[in-house]
Amino acid sequence: MARPQPRPGVLDIAPYVPGKSKAPGVARVFKLSSNESPLGPSPKAVAAYKAAAARLEEYPDGAVSELRAAIGRAFGLDPERIICGAGSDDLLNLLTHAYLRDGDEVIHTEHGFLMYPIYALGHGGKPVAVREKDLTADVDAILAAVTARTRIVFLANPNNPTGTYVPFSEVKRLHRGLPEHAILVLDAAYAEYVQRNDYESGIELVATSENVVMCRTFSKIHGLAALRLGWLYGPGHIVDALNRVRGPFNVNTPAMKAGVAAIEDAAHVEMSIAHNTRWLSWLTREIGGLGLKVTPSVANFLLIHFPETSGRTAVDADDFLTRRGLILRRVAGYGLPNALRLTVGTEEANRLVVQALKDFLGQAA
Ligand SMILES: *Cc1c(COP(=O)(O)O)cnc(C)c1O
């Protein structure tokens, strides 16, 4: 054809469809579809963001030094091994950009984050979806899928949209089984929420390996999704490669300033964790009590399963809840057509969801 064509793979991408945020005709809407923080960001982060408005004519600090130093202090890490990005999305994109050769395989799990195959295809890679066991990543299945062409293994831990996690002992076993030429990417976007003794985000493994990186985000616990801010901790040689291909000013000043204030406001983080812990278990119990199956989650959302009976399906429930201004996330695109994902909300939103589900099941009976 006599017109420019994108590289092979690009047109195989099914565009990412974000969670919806509107319920037409409903006065009050509770957006529980994108795993955003119900408590919002630290007021100190908002103040830092506003203060940065005074100097918008200046380019940002391309090295993002202040934020890397603050993250280093908060986690006891060497800032030289940290790279920041415009959301962890940016970092996942940089990883595939820098490391994939055409035809390289990128492993992700069956119900893993949809951005992994999108970035793989965008850079000439071949996404390989590996089956899960009980909606949980299965280390043996991942290892069985590894070939000489495997370049990246993406593991969201905890995973979105299932909310399940892999204990650290299993993550280490996965790493031991991988060839040296493959990078293990631990996407720990929800790490702060996890209250389990056998969980670790992977800092120790990164520190002691040449082929493991960990990605974190300010979009979830820090409530700064609008600003697009994430960071990656990795071996020096990988951070060096990513720094060569990133945009020179991929993090803007207001975002960086807000990020520093957010990470230094430990009390706000603690409060957000406590809120989530309380309401995650309340929602799990209440919704389970209605007779709906809920996948046990360690993150800030949970997966609710619906029957296939006409009038009672996930789509029916979604329509019913939307009419009440309660926006959940359909996850058919993640291979889960009979489930909805619910983000833990404010106390008011959580109570409204449980009442609405009760009414939905009652009217469908
Ligand atoms: C929300 C989320 C992220 C964070 O993405 P940002 O680009 O930082 O907003 C990363 N990974 C997973 C699995 C997520 O659900």
Side-chain angles (χ1 to χ4, degrees), residues 13-364:
I13 296 173
Y16 184 80
V17 183
K20 52 181 176 157
S21 54
K22 291 194 175 65
V26 182
R28 230 173 132 213
V29 170
F30 296 86
K31 188 181 174 204
L32 305 166
S33 57
S34 299
N35 300 342
E36 294 152 345
S37 171
L39 303 187
S42 156
K44 292 174 183 164
V46 176
Y49 175 79
K50 286 184 178 162
R55 301 182 49 186
L56 295 184
E57 70 282 7
E58 292 178 8
Y59 275 99
D61 164 22
V64 205
S65 308
E66 227 183 291
L67 180 57
R68 285 168 45 240
I71 295 167
R73 279 193 302 278
F75 290 88
L77 306 177
D78 176 2
E80 292 298 315
R81 297 179 57 172
I82 294 170
I83 173 172
C84 298
S88 23
D89 273 342
D90 189 19
L91 301 163
L92 302 174
N93 186 46
L94 292 176
L95 280 163
T96 48
H97 180 42
Y99 284 92
L100 292 186
R101 286 107 174 124
D102 285 346
D104 274 357
E105 291 167 5
V106 176
I107 292 179
H108 62 91
T109 66
E110 191 180 353
H111 306 296
F113 194 37
L114 281 177
M115 293 312 299
Y116 306 148
I118 290 180
Y119 289 132
L121 286 167
H123 295 289
K126 183 176 159 226
V128 177
V130 172
R131 65 166 176 77
E132 300 178 4
K133 204 166 160 184
D134 299 328
L135 298 179
T136 308
D138 177 350
V139 166
D140 291 311
I142 295 173
L143 290 175
V146 171
T147 73
R149 296 302 311 260
T150 304
R151 185 73 58 189
I152 297 177
V153 176
F154 282 117
L155 181 71
N157 199 29
N159 185 51
N160 170 20
T162 55
T164 57
Y165 76 107
V166 178
F168 193 49
S169 57
E170 281 291 281
V171 175
K172 285 195 281 199
R173 188 165 75 83
L174 169 59
H175 173 247
R176 280 198 301 276
L178 291 181
E180 288 171 353
H181 62 259
I183 301 178
L184 174 60
V185 180
L186 300 171
D187 181 349
Y190 301 96
E192 293 87 352
Y193 297 105
V194 186
Q195 309 284 321
R196 291 286 194 286
N197 289 331
D198 59 355
Y199 174 81
E200 276 182 49
S201 61
I203 286 174
E204 178 201 315
L205 195 56
V206 174
T208 55
S209 320
E210 291 293 334
N211 63 339
V212 185
V213 301
M214 173 192 68
C215 295
R216 303 285 282 257
T217 182
F218 283 83
S219 299
K220 307 289 156 60
I221 194 75
H222 294 295
L224 293 172
L227 298 188
R228 315 307 304 125
L229 192 59
W231 56 281
L232 175 150
Y233 174 57
H237 67 98
I238 294 182
V239 170
D240 173 59
L242 300 181
N243 269 321
R244 291 168 194 260
V245 292
R246 74 175 167 91
F249 306 107
N250 61 334
V251 173
N252 67 76
T253 308
M256 182 186 76
K257 297 283 185 187
V260 170
I263 210 154
E264 288 178 347
D265 192 347
H268 187 79
V269 172
E270 284 310 315
M271 185 174 76
S272 303
I273 293 172
H275 176 91
N276 190 71
T277 303
R278 173 175 175 211
W279 290 103
L280 178 69
S281 77
W282 186 83
L283 285 166
T284 305
R285 208 171 49 241
E286 293 288 323
I287 296 171
L290 299 175
L292 293 169
K293 192 168 160 271
V294 175
T295 301
S297 168
V298 296
N300 70 336
F301 56 86
L302 48 89
L303 201 57
I304 311 169
H305 302 269
F306 292 84
E308 290 181 65
T309 332
S310 157
R312 295 183 157 251
T313 65
V315 171
D316 295 321
D318 187 37
D319 290 342
F320 186 94
L321 292 164
T322 300
R323 285 196 293 274
R324 293 204 179 179
L326 301 164
I327 315 286
L328 277 65
R329 181 75 144 101
R330 287 190 193 175
V331 282
Y334 287 89
L336 298 162
N338 302 319
L340 294 178
R341 191 192 66 196
L342 167 68
T343 304
V344 173
T346 58
E347 169 168 1
E348 182 188 15
N350 298 334
R351 291 191 186 279
L352 287 171
V353 166
V354 168
Q355 184 59 51
L357 285 170
K358 200 180 285 179
D359 295 345
F360 167 69
L361 295 171
Q363 59 100 50

